[in-house]
Amino acid sequence: MPITPVKTLVAKARDVIVTLPQDRAEAMVEAGEALFVDIRDIRELDREGRIPGAIHAPRGMLEFWVDPESPYFKPVFETDKTLILFCASAWRSALATRDLQNMGFENVAEMEGGFSQWKARGAAIEKA
């Protein structure tokens, strides 16, 4: 039996999630309506830099960190602000956004284009 290609999984996730243009996502964070959540691996952050003020929640721990019943819960996620997830190129973030929706989160979205697009457009970056 063939596997479902990851491109198909990402496309299906995008059918059910909100993808915000970068300028809209940035405006929401600046207005205090949202939080950026960087789900990239720590090595990517060290190599490429970070969006100032973004919360780092590695993809492998995200569901555990946002769940109040998890022993790994992080209180920063106890918020009514929209969580705007991003990764390098908006594939992992699409799947992660869908997974958080499946957990019951309503205020969650992904940022279009991910960190690669953020960096390419010259937006603010902090280096390690």
Side-chain angles (χ1 to χ4, degrees), residues 23 30 73 91 109:
D23 58 346
E30 287 175 1
F73 175 68
W91 285 33

PDB file of all heavy atoms in Angstrom, residues 23 30 73 91 109:
ATOM      1  N   ASP A  23       2.233  39.959   6.851  1.00  0.00           N
ATOM      2  CA  ASP A  23       1.960  41.301   7.373  1.00  0.00           C
ATOM      3  C   ASP A  23       0.796  41.296   8.351  1.00  0.00           C
ATOM      4  O   ASP A  23       0.819  41.981   9.365  1.00  0.00           O
ATOM      5  CB  ASP A  23       1.742  42.313   6.246  1.00  0.00           C
ATOM      6  CG  ASP A  23       0.608  41.953   5.301  1.00  0.00           C
ATOM      7  OD1 ASP A  23       0.115  40.800   5.310  1.00  0.00           O
ATOM      8  OD2 ASP A  23       0.209  42.841   4.524  1.00  0.00           O
ATOM      9  N   GLU A  30       1.875  42.490  17.030  1.00  0.00           N
ATOM     10  CA  GLU A  30       2.185  43.843  17.506  1.00  0.00           C
ATOM     11  C   GLU A  30       1.011  44.462  18.261  1.00  0.00           C
ATOM     12  O   GLU A  30       1.214  45.230  19.202  1.00  0.00           O
ATOM     13  CB  GLU A  30       2.579  44.733  16.327  1.00  0.00           C
ATOM     14  CG  GLU A  30       3.956  44.416  15.782  1.00  0.00           C
ATOM     15  CD  GLU A  30       4.311  45.203  14.533  1.00  0.00           C
ATOM     16  OE1 GLU A  30       3.499  46.036  14.064  1.00  0.00           O
ATOM     17  OE2 GLU A  30       5.418  44.979  14.011  1.00  0.00           O
ATOM     18  N   PHE A  73       3.298  20.734  30.349  1.00  0.00           N
ATOM     19  CA  PHE A  73       2.575  21.966  30.034  1.00  0.00           C
ATOM     20  C   PHE A  73       3.394  23.210  30.366  1.00  0.00           C
ATOM     21  O   PHE A  73       4.047  23.290  31.405  1.00  0.00           O
ATOM     22  CB  PHE A  73       1.258  22.004  30.822  1.00  0.00           C
ATOM     23  CG  PHE A  73       0.494  23.285  30.669  1.00  0.00           C
ATOM     24  CD1 PHE A  73      -0.079  23.629  29.459  1.00  0.00           C
ATOM     25  CD2 PHE A  73       0.357  24.156  31.741  1.00  0.00           C
ATOM     26  CE1 PHE A  73      -0.789  24.820  29.320  1.00  0.00           C
ATOM     27  CE2 PHE A  73      -0.341  25.344  31.614  1.00  0.00           C
ATOM     28  CZ  PHE A  73      -0.917  25.674  30.401  1.00  0.00           C
ATOM     29  N   TRP A  91       5.394  24.020   6.148  1.00  0.00           N
ATOM     30  CA  TRP A  91       4.850  22.669   5.987  1.00  0.00           C
ATOM     31  C   TRP A  91       4.561  22.076   7.362  1.00  0.00           C
ATOM     32  O   TRP A  91       3.445  21.651   7.643  1.00  0.00           O
ATOM     33  CB  TRP A  91       5.827  21.778   5.231  1.00  0.00           C
ATOM     34  CG  TRP A  91       5.902  22.034   3.760  1.00  0.00           C
ATOM     35  CD1 TRP A  91       5.759  23.235   3.126  1.00  0.00           C
ATOM     36  CD2 TRP A  91       6.148  21.076   2.752  1.00  0.00           C
ATOM     37  NE1 TRP A  91       5.914  23.065   1.780  1.00  0.00           N
ATOM     38  CE2 TRP A  91       6.156  21.747   1.522  1.00  0.00           C
ATOM     39  CE3 TRP A  91       6.379  19.704   2.767  1.00  0.00           C
ATOM     40  CZ2 TRP A  91       6.375  21.093   0.310  1.00  0.00           C
ATOM     41  CZ3 TRP A  91       6.604  19.060   1.562  1.00  0.00           C
ATOM     42  CH2 TRP A  91       6.593  19.743   0.347  1.00  0.00           C
ATOM     43  N   ALA A 109      -3.447  29.549  14.098  1.00  0.00           N
ATOM     44  CA  ALA A 109      -3.250  29.744  12.662  1.00  0.00           C
ATOM     45  C   ALA A 109      -1.788  29.485  12.347  1.00  0.00           C
ATOM     46  O   ALA A 109      -0.958  29.356  13.245  1.00  0.00           O
ATOM     47  CB  ALA A 109      -3.632  31.171  12.261  1.00  0.00           C
TER      48      ALA A 109
END
